[in-house]
Amino acid sequence: PESTQDVSDIAKLATEHKIPMTPWGAGTSLEGNSIPIKAGILINFERMDNIVQLHAEDFQVTVQPGILRKTLEAALGKHGLMFAPDPGANASLGGMIANNAAGIRTVKYGATKDNVLALECVMADGSIVKTGSRSIKQSAGYDLTKLLVGSEGTLALITQATLKLVPIPEHYSTAVIAFESIPQAAEAVYNIRAYGLDPAALELIHPDMLTWINEDEGTSFTVAPSIMLEFSGASEEAVKTAMTITKDICNDIGSVGFEAGLGRDARKQMWSYRHSLREQAVRRFPGHHWVLVDVAVPLSKFPELVAYAQDQIDSYGFDSRIIGHAGDGNVHTGIHFEFDDEVTKTKAKELSEKLVLKAQELEGTCTGEHGVGIGKQKYLKGEYGGEGAINLMRIIKNALDPDNLLNPGKVLPKS
């Protein structure tokens, strides 16, 4: 499709003939969210990739769903603006909205759902619906925008979105801070937030990953469990002060390395290291299959979850690494093994399930930012304490998509 009307025409035809529809953006989702498991029509939004209108004076932009995050970032940067959510991958904006993507800046700016003001959508029957408005404050009726953000294409097909923007900060201070143990690093994350500091990003990095960066980039980071963090603001003094306090906090915990940088270039370099880690991991373990675990817990429970994850990894004997958007309690674990090793594959799935169940036990969630898709459906009942919330979701799904044509087989477990 190249327009909302094209999408509407497709949906009308599909509804008439009861053909399933699966929306496709850039295909970066990790829980099978965009795999068309019921066949039918795959609606690829790559041609709907325009900026419809930039409202720079209101810090807003309206886009089509197929535009890629980095393309939008480059266009907005010319106006000194940015769309804050950064999942790392060059996802489409429609996919980010459908999956409520988050990433490294969530700790300060929130996830995608916190940065969407209005949507234009095509419903299962082909009708075109608009939700929300360009007003920052909205209190008119049900919040349909929030309902559709994160629905993974199961309730409507997003054809246009109005997004909140923020000015690109003038000043940055960044640091990579090393500790003797992962629990210490996790404790530092909590203490930084508890002190009332406002980092723009706060990441947990496994020591092996610092080794990879040193090998590939010629750097000399201390090889130990570490955090990467960034402060940004309107004055150099403010970000320097925040970093000075952070250094004191980390010294009290027992940091063993502190490498700080100031300015845009230092920031750009540090995050290029962070975003390269996935590629570096895959390159170092060719032919391996990966199980990527994404869970999140309340911030006070983050150290406990990280310690538990490390203990379980050691117990199972996996050569795996913990990384996470630590500032908002989001933990990722990459479990990998030889592709045809079925015994280890079974163990990897067991470990993955243990980490999910532990996060839920700690009053967290089975998925912090990767969505439910296919892979996390079986955990919803436990997360919501029974069938009540799931049945309510089914009622909403049946009301908006009575023939179950929109991305069927995703999110909701079979009844």
Side-chain angles (χ1 to χ4, degrees):
E2 296 181 353
S3 68
T4 299
Q5 189 58 52
D6 284 353
V7 179
S8 175
D9 292 343
I10 292 168
K12 288 175 182 176
L13 182 69
T15 295
E16 179 183 353
H17 296 282
K18 303 297 185 285
I19 304 171
M21 296 170 276
T22 302
W24 181 273
T28 60
S29 57
L30 293 173
E31 292 292 351
N33 318 61
S34 54
I35 297 173
I37 59 176
K38 299 292 185 180
I41 300 171
L42 184 77
I43 304 177
N44 187 334
F45 284 97
E46 65 178 8
R47 293 184 181 178
M48 295 180 64
D49 62 349
N50 295 314
I51 293 176
V52 178
Q53 191 167 6
L54 174 63
H55 305 278
E57 66 282 1
D58 293 319
F59 307 108
Q60 297 174 9
V61 66
T62 300
V63 300
Q64 291 182 308
I67 191 168
L68 299 178
R69 180 183 66 83
K70 290 183 180 179
T71 302
L72 179 62
E73 184 176 274
L76 295 175
K78 297 174 182 178
H79 301 272
L81 299 170
M82 68 178 185
F83 180 60
D86 177 5
N90 193 20
S92 70
L93 266 294
M96 288 179 64
I97 293 165
N99 203 52
N100 187 29
I104 63 172
R105 292 195 286 247
T106 306
V107 62
K108 182 170 184 175
Y109 298 105
T112 298
K113 68 179 180 181
D114 304 302
N115 293 276
V116 177
L117 292 169
L119 295 172
E120 176 186 79
C121 301
V122 171
M123 310 309 292
D125 63 1
S127 59
I128 300 171
V129 172
K130 295 184 178 181
T131 74
S133 76
R134 290 211 305 114
S135 172
I136 296 296
K137 295 179 72 175
Q138 302 179 24
S139 188
Y142 300 134
D143 194 340
L144 299 178
T145 303
K146 286 287 198 300
L147 173 64
L148 297 178
V149 175
S151 62
E152 301 184 28
T154 63
L155 301 180
L157 302 167
I158 297 165
T159 56
Q160 196 166 285
T162 299
L163 311 172
K164 289 168 58 178
L165 306 176
V166 294
I168 296 175
E170 285 294 320
H171 299 279
Y172 294 95
S173 180
T174 58
V176 180
I177 309 170
F179 298 86
E180 291 183 350
S181 68
I182 287 181
Q184 273 188 325
E187 182 184 354
V189 169
Y190 174 77
N191 287 358
I192 289 167
R193 294 296 311 280
Y195 195 88
L197 297 173
D198 187 26
L202 184 51
E203 301 282 292
L204 178 70
I205 308 293
H206 192 279
D208 288 355
M209 296 175 176
L210 275 302
T211 298
W212 300 344
I213 294 171
N214 288 342
E215 290 174 351
D216 290 2
E217 305 292 344
T219 52
S220 55
F221 290 115
T222 301
V223 177
S226 299
I227 57 175
M228 284 183 175
L229 82 161
E230 169 193 317
F231 291 104
S232 60
S235 74
E236 185 174 310
E237 182 181 357
V239 297
K240 279 184 173 180
T241 299
M243 191 61 73
T244 298
I245 296 171
T246 296
K247 187 173 185 179
D248 290 341
I249 291 171
C250 293
N251 284 341
D252 288 344
I253 295 171
S255 63
V256 294
F258 190 97
E259 296 197 34
L262 194 65
R264 290 174 186 258
D265 289 344
R267 173 192 182 272
K268 183 178 180 181
Q269 190 66 69
M270 186 180 77
W271 293 119
S272 73
Y273 298 151
R274 168 64 179 87
H275 287 320
S276 72
L277 290 176
R278 170 68 176 149
E279 182 272 334
Q280 290 182 357
V282 172
R283 180 156 42 84
R284 280 170 168 79
F285 301 99
H288 278 216
H289 182 74
W290 292 78
V291 175
L292 302 175
V293 186
D294 159 47
V295 294
V297 293
L299 189 60
S300 64
K301 307 286 184 158
F302 182 75
E304 182 178 349
L305 177 63
V306 170
Y308 177 84
Q310 189 62 58
D311 286 346
Q312 290 298 314
I313 289 169
D314 294 342
S315 175
Y316 274 87
F318 277 106
D319 180 23
S320 297
R321 291 146 194 88
I322 299 168
I323 191 169
H325 307 310
D328 51 25
N330 192 187
V331 174
H332 299 303
T333 305
I335 309 167
H336 59 94
F337 48 89
E338 295 286 348
F339 194 81
D340 57 356
D341 186 344
E342 292 298 321
V343 173
T344 308
K345 181 179 180 179
T346 299
K347 290 182 179 179
K349 289 184 176 180
E350 288 178 5
L351 174 55
S352 172
E353 181 151 305
K354 282 191 173 183
L355 298 182
V356 171
L357 295 177
K358 183 63 175 180
Q360 290 181 324
E361 176 190 321
L362 295 174
E363 301 180 272
T365 179
C366 64
T367 174
E369 60 184 1
H370 293 171
V372 175
I374 303 167
K376 293 291 180 68
Q377 292 177 2
K378 63 181 179 179
Y379 301 115
L380 289 190
K381 182 177 178 180
E383 185 144 324
Y384 291 112
E387 292 281 353
I390 298 172
N391 287 336
L392 182 57
M393 292 181 199
R394 289 195 180 104
I395 290 170
I396 295 169
K397 168 70 170 172
N398 291 337
L400 300 184
D401 181 20
D403 296 314
N404 191 28
L405 300 180
L406 292 177
N407 208 7
K410 312 298 171 55
V411 183
L412 296 175
K414 294 180 180 179
S415 45

